[in-house]
Amino acid sequence: MKINRYKSLRTQTFLAGTLGYALYYVCRLSMGVMKQPLIDAGLLNATQLGVIGACLYWAYAVGKLVNGFLADSSNIKRFMSIGLLISSVVNLCMGVIGASAVDAGFSSAFIFVVFAIVWGINGWAQSMGAPAAIVGLSRWYPLSIRGTFYGFFSASHNIGEGLSFIFVGSIVASFGWKWGFFGAALAGILGVVLILLFLHDTPESKGLKPIEVLSGEMTEEALAAQRQKYASDKAGQRLRTRQMQRKVLRNPGVWILALSSAFMYMSRYAINEWGTIYLQEAHGYNLAEAAALIGINPI
C-alpha cells in the first residue's frame, strides 16, 4: 500500500514540476512576443528592448547559481511556488505600468528604466523554478531511473516555449500587448496552484521513508549510519550539503558544461526573443502567424 502511495505521490511531483516549470516559461518569454507592438506603441525601441531582455537573463544566470544551492536545503513546494508567484506579479505589473505609461505620456527613457528593473526582478524569480523541480526529482526518484525522468522533465522547456508563443501571441494579436502580460500572469497563477496542490517536498514530508530506503538502494540501518556520520541535527545536514556543493564548484567539468550551456542559450534565445519580430519586419507576417511559426521550433 505504501509503495503504491509513494509511486502516486512521486508521479504527482514529477507532473507538477514539469508543467509548473513549463508555465514559468510563459512568464519569462511573454515580452518576446510583444516587441513589435511595444515599438509600434512608441513606448520603447529595439535597443531598449534588448537591454531589458539582458537584465532578465543576467539576473537569471546569477540567480540560478545561487538558488540552485538554496533549493538543496529548502522546501521545494514553497520555493518553486514563490518564484512563479513573483514572476506572475511582475507580468501583471508590466501590463499595468505599460498601460499607465501610455495614458500618462511618460517618456521612453523613464519606461525603459522601470521595465529594466522590473524585468530584472522577473529574471531572479525565474531562476527559482528549475532548481526546485530538479531537487524534487532527486528526492523522489532513485538513481536507477532519475536520469530518465530528468530527460522527460526537460520537455518542460519545450512545452513552455510553445505555450508562450501560441498562447501569448494569440492574446496579443486579439486584444493588444497589455493583455499579453495579463495572460502570462494568469498562466503563472495557474502554475502556482498546480505546484501547491501536487508538488511534494520529500517522501518523509508525506509520512514515507527516505527515497534511498523506498527504492532499496540502502537499508534503514545503512542510511542512519551515513546520516550519523554527518550528525543527525539540521546543522550537520547543512554542513554535509555545503561540502557536496563545494565539490561541485571545484569540478572543472561542471564549468565546461556551464560555459557550453551559456553559448547554447545565446542561439536559443536569439530565436525566442527576436524570431517573432524578425518574421514580422523581414517577411511581413502578422503577429499571430509569426508567433505560431516560432512556436513550431520548441514543439
Side-chain angles (χ1 to χ4, degrees):
M1 183 66 74
K2 282 195 173 183
I3 290 297
N4 290 336
R5 182 165 179 262
Y6 154 66
K7 289 183 177 180
S8 174
L9 291 171
R10 82 177 186 184
T11 300
Q12 290 177 17
T13 297
F14 167 75
L15 291 175
T18 301
L19 296 177
Y21 193 53
L23 293 170
Y24 258 83
Y25 265 78
V26 179
C27 291
R28 182 189 309 176
L29 296 177
S30 53
M31 188 176 285
V33 180
M34 290 181 260
K35 283 187 166 66
Q36 190 64 60
L38 287 167
I39 293 171
D40 292 342
L43 290 177
L44 298 162
N45 59 43
T47 301
Q48 290 171 325
L49 286 167
V51 173
I52 291 168
C55 290
L56 182 146
Y57 290 115
W58 278 111
Y60 176 72
V62 176
K64 208 165 184 181
L65 176 65
V66 174
N67 286 318
F69 285 149
L70 294 178
D72 281 335
S73 52
S74 298
N75 181 309
I76 57 171
K77 180 198 290 280
R78 289 199 295 264
F79 198 86
M80 192 172 184
S81 60
I82 288 172
L84 188 50
L85 179 61
I86 293 171
S87 192
S88 301
V89 171
V90 164
N91 272 270
L92 180 62
C93 289
M94 291 287 276
V96 172
I97 292 168
S100 302
V102 171
D103 296 336
F106 292 137
S107 69
S108 178
F110 175 79
I111 297 169
F112 165 64
V113 172
V114 174
F115 269 32
I117 293 171
V118 175
W119 212 231
I121 294 171
N122 190 29
W124 187 272
Q126 283 287 318
S127 72
M128 299 173 71
I134 293 166
V135 168
L137 291 175
S138 70
R139 292 179 179 177
W140 282 93
Y141 285 85
L143 282 170
S144 58
I145 59 172
R146 191 176 300 163
T148 300
F149 279 86
Y150 179 80
F152 295 149
F153 163 76
S154 295
S156 62
H157 304 72
N158 307 87
I159 295 169
E161 289 176 11
L163 278 173
S164 298
F165 295 113
I166 295 172
F167 172 67
V168 178
S170 299
I171 290 177
V172 174
S174 300
F175 304 106
W177 63 266
K178 295 182 287 293
W179 287 98
F181 284 120
F182 297 149
L186 181 62
I189 293 299
L190 175 63
V192 171
V193 173
L194 186 70
I195 292 165
L196 289 175
L197 289 177
F198 298 109
L199 188 77
H200 310 295
D201 185 37
T202 61
E204 295 96 314
S205 71
K206 307 304 290 185
L208 299 170
K209 294 177 181 179
I211 182 60
E212 296 89 346
V213 176
L214 285 169
S215 63
E217 291 177 347
M218 297 181 71
T219 64
E220 291 188 62
E221 293 75 15
L223 181 62
Q226 183 188 77
R227 291 183 171 180
Q228 184 62 36
K229 179 180 177 181
Y230 295 97
S232 59
D233 60 3
K234 289 185 178 180
Q237 292 173 16
R238 283 196 296 269
L239 175 62
R240 182 191 176 202
T241 300
R242 298 294 176 261
Q243 289 172 341
M244 294 173 66
Q245 289 171 344
R246 282 195 290 270
K247 286 182 180 179
V248 170
L249 288 174
R250 287 195 294 264
N251 186 336
V254 169
W255 293 102
I256 292 170
L257 285 171
L259 186 61
S260 64
S261 181
F263 283 117
M264 181 180 67
Y265 262 64
M266 290 179 191
S267 58
R268 179 178 160 209
Y269 279 100
I271 301 297
N272 286 345
E273 292 286 354
W274 295 99
T276 303
I277 189 173
Y278 166 75
L279 290 176
Q280 288 176 274
E281 291 196 347
H283 295 283
Y285 287 97
N286 63 41
L287 177 58
E289 292 170 337
L293 282 171
I294 297 301
I296 291 172
N297 176 41
I299 291 170

